[in-house]
Amino acid sequence: MSRSRKIRDMATGLGLCFPFLALYTVFTIWPVIQGLYVSLHKWSLMGKVKFVGLDNYIKFLSDQKFIDALKHTIIFVALSVPFLVIMALILALFANRPVKIRRGLRIAFYLPSIISVSVASFIAKYMFAPYMGFVNGILHLTGLLKSGSEIQWLIDTNHAWAVVTIMTVWWTVGFSMLLYLSALQDISPEIYEAAEIDGAAKWQQLFSIVLPLLKPTTYLIVMLQIIASFKVFGQIQLITAGGPAGSTKPLIQYIYETGFTKNNMGYAAAMSYVLFAILVVCTLIQRAIQKKGEQKDEA
Amino acid sequence: MKRKKAKAGSLILTVLSAGLAIIFLAPVIWAFFVSLQYEGKQIQSVVSWFSPPYTFGNYLDLIIGSDVAKWLLNSVVVAVLVTVLTLLFSAMAAYALSKIKFMGRNKLFFYFLLGLMVPGEATIVPLFITANNIHLIDTYAGLLLPSVAVSMNLIIMVTFFKGIPDSLIEAARIDGAGEITIFARIVMPLSKAVLSTISIFAFIGSWNNYLWPLLCSMDSSKFTLPVGIPIFAGTYTVDYVKPMTANMIASIPAIIIYLIFEKQIVQGITMSGVKG
C-alpha cells in the first residue's frame, strides 16, 4: 500500500469516526473522570468550593439516609425481579401457543413498555387512587371492597411497594417476555414430538424439557432485571415521591436530591460511584453468562 | 375422552391468556376513555368513566390552550434529531471501523466498547456539570447531544457492516468511487434492516427519556412531554380528565409507531438481547 493511500485512509477513517468520538468522549467517558474529581470536593451548582479529599466517601458510610436509600433499592430489586421473571415466562408461554390471538397477545403484553415513565406512572397513580380510581372502583363493583370503604394505597409503606412493583411489572415485563418468546421459538418441534410419543403430558413437558432448555435465557433475564431494578428512579419519584415519609426512596432519588435540591454535588457524585460499582459488577456477570450461552450455541 | 379433556384445557388457557391481555391493556384503555369525558362529570362508579357522552374537546383545548403542544413539538424535534444524528454518526464511525484499515482502529474500537460498562444513571451529576460548563443546559443541543453516541448502536452496526463483502467495496474503489460515495450509495442502502431497528429504538428511547431532560430543561419552554406532563398534571388535583388527555397526547404517537413497526421492534429486541 502506498504511503499516500495510508495517510488518506487514516484521515478518512478518523474523520468519519470524529463526530461519534467527540460526543462519546464528552458525554459518556469524560463524566466518569470528571465525577471522580468532583467527588473529592465540596461542589455546588456554582462550581468547586473546596478540596475535601475522601470526606465524601467516608460520609456516606455513616449516613443513615444513604443506607436507607440503598436498602430501599435492594428491597425493590428483591420484590420486582422474581415477579418480573416469572411473569415474563408465563406471558411468553401464553404468547407462544398456536392460537389465533397469538400476535394480539404479543402486542398487548409489550404495549405498556413503549409508554413513557411519566405517563405510565401517572396512569398507575390514578388507577390506585381512592374514590375515583380504577382499582378501588373494580373492587367495589365486584363486591371485594365494601361500598363506602376505600383502600389508601399510597399511605402505607407495604401498599406503596405493591403499587410500585405492580406498575413496574406491567410497564417493563414485555422486554423479558420477548426474550423468552424468542428462546421458546428456538426449541425444535421434534423435541416436543419425541416427548409426546413417550407419553409425556403438556405440563410434564414444561417442567422436564422447556424450563431446563430456557435456563440460559433465565440467567440472562435475571441479570438484566437486577441491573434495571437497581436503576429505579422515575416511577418511584412520580408515584410515591419516595414516600410515605421517605420509606420507598431509592438510591438515584437520594443522589438526585442531594445533588440538585440540596446543592451538594460532590457528595452526590461520590454516592453515584456506589451505584456505578454495583452496576458494573452486575453487567460483567451478565456478559460472562451471555458469552457462555453463545459458546454453547456455537458448539 | 382424553382428547376432549385436552381441548377443554386448551380453551381455558386461551381464555386466561386473553384475560391477561385485557388486564395489560386496561390502564391504557381506561386512560383513553377518561380523556374522552366532559370535565366535571359525576363519577358514581367505575362504569361512569366508560359511559358516553364523549368529546374530543379536551384534546383541542390542550393542543390550542396549553403548553402541552409546545412540549409535544419539543419531544418530536428532539426525538427526530436524536434519531437522525444517531444513525448518521454511528453509521459513519461503524463504516470506518469495519471497512477502512487505518492505524489505531482496533484501539479506537476498544475505547468505544468501554461505553457498555458506563451506566448513564450513575454519571448524571458530572454530566450535568459538564453540560453546564459548555452552556448546554436549557438548550435543544443539551437535550439531545448526550443521547446520540451510544456504544451499543455502534457495535450492532459494526457487526452488521462486517457482513457486507469487502469485494463489493473494493470493486467500487477500483471503479474510482470515493469513501463517501461507497458509504452513501452501497453500505447504507444494504443496511436498511439494521438502520430501521436502531432508528426505532433511538426514537422511542428519546421520546421516553425522563431523567436527563428533567435536569437539562429549566424553563418550561424547553420541556419535553415526559418532563412537562407530571408538572401539568400536578396542577389538577381533583379532575382526571385534562391530565389523562395530556397523557394520551404523549402516548398516542408512540403507540401508533409501535403498532406500525411492531415486527421490527420485536426483531430488534430479540437481536439486541441475544447478541448483547
Side-chain angles (χ1 to χ4, degrees):
Chain A
M1 208 187 285
S2 73
R3 201 183 142 79
S4 74
R5 166 90 192 262
K6 237 181 182 168
I7 290 171
R8 211 182 57 212
D9 278 355
M10 176 109 189
T12 324
L14 288 179
L16 286 171
C17 286
F18 181 75
F20 190 96
L21 176 65
L23 291 176
Y24 172 79
T25 304
V26 173
F27 296 116
T28 303
I29 299 299
W30 174 245
V32 179
I33 301 159
Q34 159 103 340
L36 281 173
Y37 183 72
V38 171
S39 73
L40 300 176
H41 292 80
K42 192 169 168 45
W43 199 296
S44 81
L45 280 167
M46 293 293 131
K48 192 162 58 181
V49 178
K50 67 166 197 246
F51 180 77
V52 294
L54 292 174
D55 278 10
N56 285 326
Y57 289 90
I58 294 160
K59 195 167 149 195
F60 66 65
L61 295 176
S62 56
D63 177 356
Q64 192 55 44
K65 281 186 183 157
F66 169 79
I67 294 163
D68 284 344
L70 189 59
K71 208 167 76 189
H72 300 151
T73 312
I74 292 167
I75 289 174
F76 179 72
V77 172
L79 275 175
S80 63
V81 173
F83 279 114
L84 276 163
V85 175
I86 293 166
M87 200 64 191
L89 178 63
I90 293 172
L91 296 182
L93 288 168
F94 275 136
N96 193 42
R97 294 175 66 245
V99 287
K100 267 193 192 138
I101 54 170
R102 184 175 176 166
R103 175 132 193 261
L105 291 175
R106 195 178 72 192
I107 291 178
F109 296 153
Y110 190 72
L111 188 116
S113 304
I114 58 139
I115 295 172
S116 98
V117 63
S118 40
V119 173
S121 302
F122 245 86
I123 293 178
K125 198 174 167 181
Y126 283 24
M127 291 277 289
F128 285 98
Y131 303 106
M132 298 213 294
F134 185 84
V135 174
N136 278 6
I138 292 285
L139 292 176
H140 281 140
L141 206 65
T142 51
L144 290 170
L145 189 64
K146 272 206 303 271
S147 64
S149 71
E150 294 286 338
I151 301 177
Q152 304 282 347
W153 288 95
L154 296 180
I155 293 194
D156 167 74
T157 305
N158 293 334
H159 280 81
W161 276 126
V163 171
V164 170
T165 307
I166 291 170
M167 178 274 179
T168 305
V169 171
W170 170 71
W171 179 48
T172 62
V173 75
F175 176 76
S176 306
M177 183 267 305
L178 288 179
L179 293 187
Y180 265 133
L181 196 56
S182 102
L184 280 170
Q185 283 160 357
D186 284 345
I187 300 176
S188 94
E190 284 140 38
I191 296 178
Y192 296 110
E193 278 160 27
E196 212 131 306
I197 291 165
D198 289 345
K202 283 268 183 237
W203 62 269
Q204 283 171 324
Q205 290 177 21
L206 176 66
F207 284 100
S208 59
I209 302 171
V210 178
L211 291 188
L213 283 173
L214 289 180
K215 228 185 218 167
T217 313
T218 304
Y219 287 140
L220 175 67
I221 291 176
V222 167
M223 285 319 297
L224 289 174
Q225 291 298 350
I226 290 175
I227 293 168
S229 290
F230 264 113
K231 294 179 181 175
V232 68
F233 168 66
Q235 65 265 49
I236 293 187
Q237 200 218 19
L238 291 162
I239 295 176
T240 71
S247 63
T248 59
K249 188 179 290 178
L251 203 48
I252 293 187
Q253 193 179 345
Y254 187 54
I255 292 169
Y256 172 86
E257 286 175 2
T258 306
F260 298 98
T261 316
K262 301 221 178 89
N263 200 4
N264 191 349
M265 298 189 127
Y267 188 35
M271 289 190 293
S272 298
Y273 283 100
V274 176
L275 181 67
F276 196 103
I278 294 171
L279 292 174
V280 166
V281 170
C282 292
T283 310
L284 287 172
I285 296 173
Q286 176 238 320
R287 303 226 157 246
I289 291 169
Q290 221 166 351
K291 233 183 203 150
K292 220 170 128 196
E294 269 163 30
Q295 277 162 1
K296 231 186 206 164
D297 275 357
E298 280 158 21
Chain B
M1 181 60 202
K2 199 179 166 192
R3 183 151 273 182
K4 222 176 195 174
K5 216 167 140 190
K7 220 170 180 185
S10 162
L11 188 67
I12 291 172
L13 285 178
T14 307
V15 172
L16 211 64
S17 61
L20 267 172
I22 291 168
I23 292 175
F24 265 74
L25 295 178
V28 180
I29 295 170
W30 179 61
F32 179 64
F33 274 102
V34 172
S35 76
L36 295 182
Q37 300 296 338
Y38 286 93
E39 256 177 297
K41 180 176 179 176
Q42 283 298 314
I43 303 302
Q44 268 101 29
S45 82
V46 68
V47 182
S48 319
W49 285 121
F50 294 92
S51 59
Y54 303 131
T55 171
F56 278 103
N58 302 310
Y59 287 84
L60 219 60
D61 285 353
L62 285 198
I63 287 171
I64 294 168
S66 76
D67 281 340
V68 172
K70 177 140 197 55
W71 301 335
L72 179 71
L73 190 70
N74 285 346
S75 275
V76 171
V77 169
V78 171
V80 168
L81 287 174
V82 165
T83 309
V84 171
L85 294 180
T86 298
L87 278 187
L88 186 66
F89 293 168
S90 314
M92 280 161 55
Y95 175 71
L97 292 169
S98 59
K99 293 296 174 206
I100 300 174
K101 291 198 179 72
F102 60 93
M103 242 178 54
R105 182 171 86 158
N106 290 335
K107 280 189 193 118
L108 197 58
F109 187 62
F110 179 77
Y111 175 64
F112 288 143
L113 279 176
L114 289 177
L116 291 175
M117 285 293 138
V118 180
E121 288 81 356
T123 57
I124 204 80
V125 174
L127 178 63
F128 179 87
I129 293 170
T130 305
N132 198 24
N133 285 341
I134 48 181
H135 307 291
L136 286 180
I137 299 301
D138 237 1
T139 66
Y140 287 110
L143 281 173
L144 65 96
L145 289 180
S147 319
V148 169
V150 178
S151 296
M152 184 62 109
N153 292 335
L154 182 73
I155 289 157
I156 292 175
M157 281 200 202
V158 168
T159 313
F160 189 88
F161 288 178
K162 276 190 177 153
I164 296 174
D166 283 336
S167 55
L168 207 65
I169 287 157
E170 275 313 317
R173 278 186 192 140
I174 289 164
D175 285 346
E179 296 298 335
I180 308 293
T181 317
I182 297 172
F183 172 70
R185 292 279 173 81
I186 298 175
V187 174
M188 292 299 263
L190 281 173
S191 316
K192 270 185 200 140
V194 74
L195 296 178
S196 67
T197 300
I198 286 175
S199 46
I200 291 164
F201 280 109
F203 187 91
I204 293 182
S206 165
W207 185 262
N208 290 341
N209 199 359
Y210 174 67
L211 182 54
W212 178 243
L214 180 68
L215 290 172
C216 186
S217 52
M218 305 274 172
D219 190 82
S220 77
S221 71
K222 290 293 187 309
F223 285 175
T224 56
L225 280 169
V227 180
I229 278 180
I231 291 170
F232 173 81
T235 59
Y236 291 82
T237 43
V238 198
D239 205 47
Y240 284 26
V241 172
K242 282 277 157 65
M244 278 308 192
T245 311
N247 282 330
M248 288 317 292
I249 291 174
S251 308
I252 287 170
I255 292 175
I256 290 173
I257 290 178
Y258 168 61
L259 292 178
I260 295 173
F261 295 108
E262 196 260 346
K263 272 217 173 104
Q264 284 95 319
I265 292 174
V266 168
Q267 276 165 3
I269 288 169
T270 315
M271 196 170 80
S272 68
V274 176
K275 296 269 171 354

